Amino acid sequence: MKARVTRVGRVAAGLAAAGVVATIAIVGGRLVASDHQQTVLTELNPRMDITDVYVFPGGDNNASTDRVVLAMITSSPLTPAQTAGARFDHNLLYQFKIDNSTPLDGVEDLVIQVTFDSATGNSRLVNVRGPVAPPTRMDVEGTPLPRPGSASIILRNAAIPSIIARPTDQAVTVTNAAGDIRIFAGATDDPFFVDLEQFFRILPDRKPVSGPLAALPETQNATKFRGPAPVFDDTRGAPRNFVAGVNALSIVIELPESLLTPGANKTIGVWGTISR
Amino acid sequence: MVRAVRLYAIVGAVAVAGITAACKDDTRTITQTVFRDTGRVVFRDTGTRRVDTVRFGEFRIFNQVERLGAPLFAEVLLEKRDHGFHDAGVPSTDSVNFVDKVIKFITTVAGRDAAYAKTVADALVPDMIVAQLDKAPNTAGYLGQILVPATNYGGRKLSDDAVDLSLMVVFGNALGNNNNVSPGLVMDNVPSDSPFRMTFPYLAVPNTAALMAAR
């Protein structure tokens, strides 16, 4: 904790020295990171914005050899004040897609669909369907279209595994024949960290269209990240993590690996999507 | 602290119409009924009927507006005008759509040679987080399955410095090429500030005004 205070103090001092506090250093303003606000659409509609996806071993201390965690971070940045009232959009379909082919081919073999209802507070429901093979799409005459596609329908076969849990914001565990499935959907810290201001000075094309960072120059005016001289840019103060103290809405699902890799192949490719 | 959580699992076949599951917690009862004839689900919450936008069985086409696999793949390697195209797509067509653009970025913006650009594109396309679930959990870490494929789990941990790792690939020698590296671009010099938890759901609790003031 002491190290953190020291670091932030140093960063604040650095920014003040560089004279950029007034225009840039606004925690909770618009910002961009790993995939934060990647397009204008997702920037201006943060519930549609996946900012990060994670895949790592489950179990306490992440030490399990047969459980895996899929996490999707959305809606960042939320200030602490905004966090209490923030909730997932019940009009959107949140999905984890899993490729488990040998070799991996980028085609979704399994999908986990997550939806929310429109209630507020503790009566909120989250519905997790899957993992199962994605539903076949039909053309207008009812003929199945080949997978994959970026159009999705809700899994509606009553035989598929479906978990409806309430309230959100609390971890729940469901016993499955293959092992427990754990679900969390709610507010968390945003786990990402990056010096965005300098990133956008180096790649100005990627900057957002709103908020303080949008005011950065349109053309490249840095060729190095901030850091100690001489190899880094030492003219703009200390580097600063623009995602510090920022919250997000996260979906975390931990499940037995066997549900994602029923065959001999144990290598998976994972991506997250949001559809409207 | 943690209140009793009631949940309903419809696992396996719901073979009969009108299967009803009911549960109780300290304040209210929710009953879920699945009507097989219409596929519609109606929640009854102490008598209050609530029908939601996304219904079990509703035939509605959802159009994908956001996609994310590997961190920084689109954000760094693709121009912003391509981000919407990437967001609406699928990994199986990434090779056709984006390999040339990735190679162009690596050879022009990063100034690397064509052979290294091809190596980077091969490593990052299609855009997915790849995990070798049969490897030891303590070897998990972003790009590990590429850097040490024989033993490393890969995937992506919460604490991974995805920015530095990605920059090391693009501007450094992470994939084994020292030609024209840019030492000032291989790390952004900021560490994680998040106190991750060792138990589910692993992410740190939301920041509060009090937590912020204490820093």
Side-chain angles (χ1 to χ4, degrees):
Chain A
M1 201 43 101
K2 183 170 181 181
R4 177 175 302 146
V5 172
T6 306
R7 182 176 60 77
V8 173
R10 180 161 47 81
V11 170
L15 281 169
V20 295
V21 168
T23 54
I24 302 297
I26 302 173
V27 172
R30 293 281 178 190
L31 45 77
V32 180
S34 168
D35 189 74
H36 294 54
Q37 305 173 342
Q38 197 192 43
T39 63
V40 176
L41 175 72
T42 56
E43 175 184 340
L44 301 181
N45 298 276
R47 295 300 173 273
M48 295 182 191
D49 194 3
I50 301 177
T51 55
D52 284 286
V53 172
Y54 296 87
V55 180
F56 53 87
D60 290 354
N61 302 306
N62 307 111
S64 171
T65 56
D66 58 4
R67 298 177 62 75
V68 63
V69 179
L70 311 179
M72 178 190 299
I73 318 299
T74 79
S75 299
S76 177
L78 293 168
T79 63
Q82 292 168 332
T83 303
R87 50 199 176 98
F88 289 97
D89 188 335
H90 64 280
N91 283 300
L92 298 177
L93 171 62
Y94 300 80
Q95 299 183 91
F96 290 99
K97 313 268 194 177
I98 298 103
D99 171 11
N100 62 12
S101 303
T102 309
L104 297 179
D105 57 9
V107 177
E108 78 179 279
D109 297 305
L110 296 171
V111 64
I112 297 174
Q113 296 187 331
V114 182
T115 55
F116 300 86
D117 78 352
S118 58
T120 56
N122 281 341
S123 62
R124 201 97 213 269
L125 294 162
V126 54
N127 191 344
V128 177
R129 302 177 177 90
V132 291
T136 306
R137 297 179 305 139
M138 307 284 184
D139 69 11
V140 289
E141 295 177 328
T143 306
L145 295 171
R147 290 185 288 146
S150 57
S152 297
I153 58 176
I154 294 277
L155 294 162
R156 57 188 190 143
N157 182 344
I160 61 116
S162 173
I163 296 164
I164 299 176
R166 66 169 265 259
T168 54
D169 269 333
Q170 291 179 21
V172 297
T173 301
V174 182
T175 302
N176 179 284
D180 287 350
I181 298 175
R182 305 178 106 182
I183 296 166
F184 172 89
T188 67
D189 162 71
D190 183 335
F192 201 66
F193 46 105
V194 64
D195 184 350
L196 283 178
E197 178 191 337
Q198 195 72 359
F199 182 86
F200 295 133
R201 288 189 187 282
I202 297 165
L203 283 177
D205 166 70
R206 313 295 197 269
K207 71 191 176 84
V209 298
S210 61
L213 290 173
L216 288 167
E218 297 292 335
T219 54
Q220 185 183 66
N221 71 342
T223 57
K224 303 167 179 177
F225 280 97
R226 293 190 281 201
V231 68
F232 294 104
D233 181 350
D234 58 350
T235 66
R236 289 193 172 86
R240 174 171 165 237
N241 174 15
F242 276 72
V243 197
V246 167
N247 294 330
L249 294 177
S250 302
I251 300 168
V252 188
I253 299 175
E254 178 176 319
L255 69 176
E257 290 175 357
S258 59
L259 291 179
L260 302 184
T261 55
N265 173 42
K266 298 301 176 193
T267 298
I268 59 171
V270 177
W271 66 103
T273 67
I274 293 178
S275 305
R276 62 171 176 173
Chain B
M1 173 89 154
V2 178
R3 292 179 43 208
V5 175
R6 315 308 312 194
L7 50 89
Y8 313 91
I10 314 171
V11 179
V14 181
V16 211
I19 294 294
T20 300
C23 234
K24 239 183 202 175
D25 68 8
D26 50 349
T27 57
R28 66 184 75 200
T29 300
I30 283 190
T31 303
Q32 176 186 317
T33 307
V34 180
F35 296 103
R36 289 302 303 279
D37 54 343
T38 62
R40 176 172 298 186
V41 174
V42 175
F43 293 104
R44 291 185 188 283
D45 189 343
T46 53
T48 307
R49 181 171 166 141
R50 192 170 73 228
V51 179
D52 286 288
T53 304
V54 176
R55 289 193 293 267
F56 193 84
E58 177 178 296
F59 193 88
R60 167 182 164 186
I61 301 291
F62 288 82
N63 293 305
Q64 184 180 314
V65 294
E66 169 70 313
R67 163 167 74 116
L68 181 58
L72 297 151
F73 173 79
E75 183 66 25
V76 167
L77 299 177
L78 302 180
E79 293 179 36
K80 190 149 186 169
R81 62 183 177 183
D82 284 326
H83 289 185
F85 178 41
H86 171 271
D87 282 344
V90 292
S92 56
T93 51
D94 282 349
S95 181
V96 172
N97 292 334
F98 299 120
V99 161
D100 289 349
K101 296 180 181 203
V102 170
I103 288 176
K104 182 184 172 193
F105 181 92
I106 303 290
T107 55
T108 57
V109 180
R112 313 303 296 275
D113 61 44
Y116 187 70
K118 176 72 163 54
T119 302
V120 174
D122 287 346
L124 297 181
V125 177
D127 179 16
M128 302 185 289
I129 294 182
V130 176
Q132 304 188 118
L133 303 182
D134 53 348
K135 308 302 183 193
N138 63 5
T139 64
Y142 182 53
L143 296 179
Q145 85 287 352
I146 291 171
L147 301 174
V148 196
T151 58
N152 281 19
Y153 186 101
R156 183 184 174 195
K157 299 197 307 286
L158 296 174
S159 58
D160 285 342
D161 195 333
V163 171
D164 286 7
L165 288 163
S166 301
L167 293 171
M168 279 293 294
V169 168
V170 175
F171 299 104
N173 62 359
L175 298 182
N177 183 312
N178 286 306
N179 181 32
N180 203 22
V181 299
S182 304
L185 287 170
V186 299
M187 59 187 69
D188 71 344
N189 297 304
V190 293
S192 170
D193 70 316
S194 302
F196 298 118
R197 286 175 278 184
M198 289 296 102
T199 56
F200 188 86
Y202 308 105
L203 289 154
V205 298
N207 301 284
T208 63
L211 276 174
M212 302 282 289
R215 285 181 178 173

